[in-house]
Amino acid sequence: MNRQQFDFEFGKKHGVNSFQLTDNLTVFRKPLEIWNEETDESIKFKNIDELLKYEIDGVTVWEIIEQK
């Protein structure tokens, strides 16, 4: 998936509010956060660029998305 496709699918106009990042991590658009269903913890972000640069086990969120 490229950035333009991601922005379209996750944008406000398309209506997608969340997506499954990994088996136990969900990304929500409003509020912008990653939620861990195993621990019930969430990490909130100020903007989409901050979210995409966030690292999980040494891999950025964007790298995980690109592999999908």
Side-chain angles (χ1 to χ4, degrees):
M1 175 180 298
N2 64 41
R3 178 64 191 260
Q4 185 177 12
Q5 182 182 4
F6 172 79
D7 288 343
F8 173 76
E9 292 186 12
F10 198 55
K12 293 178 185 177
K13 290 183 180 181
H14 192 61
V16 175
N17 190 44
S18 66
F19 65 91
Q20 201 71 29
L21 184 62
T22 66
D23 288 341
N24 62 343
L25 296 177
T26 303
V27 175
F28 290 97
R29 180 169 49 90
K30 193 172 185 179
L32 188 57
E33 68 181 330
I34 295 176
W35 174 65
N36 185 323
E37 68 179 59
E38 288 182 356
T39 64
D40 196 31
E41 296 177 338
S42 66
I43 301 166
K44 295 188 187 268
F45 300 91
K46 295 177 186 173
N47 57 56
I48 197 73
D49 290 326
E50 184 180 286
L51 166 78
L52 295 176
K53 292 176 184 176
Y54 182 74
E55 289 191 13
I56 300 167
D57 297 328
V59 180
T60 66
V61 169
W62 179 245
E63 291 170 329
I64 295 169
I65 291 169
E66 281 185 309
Q67 295 174 2
K68 293 187 178 250

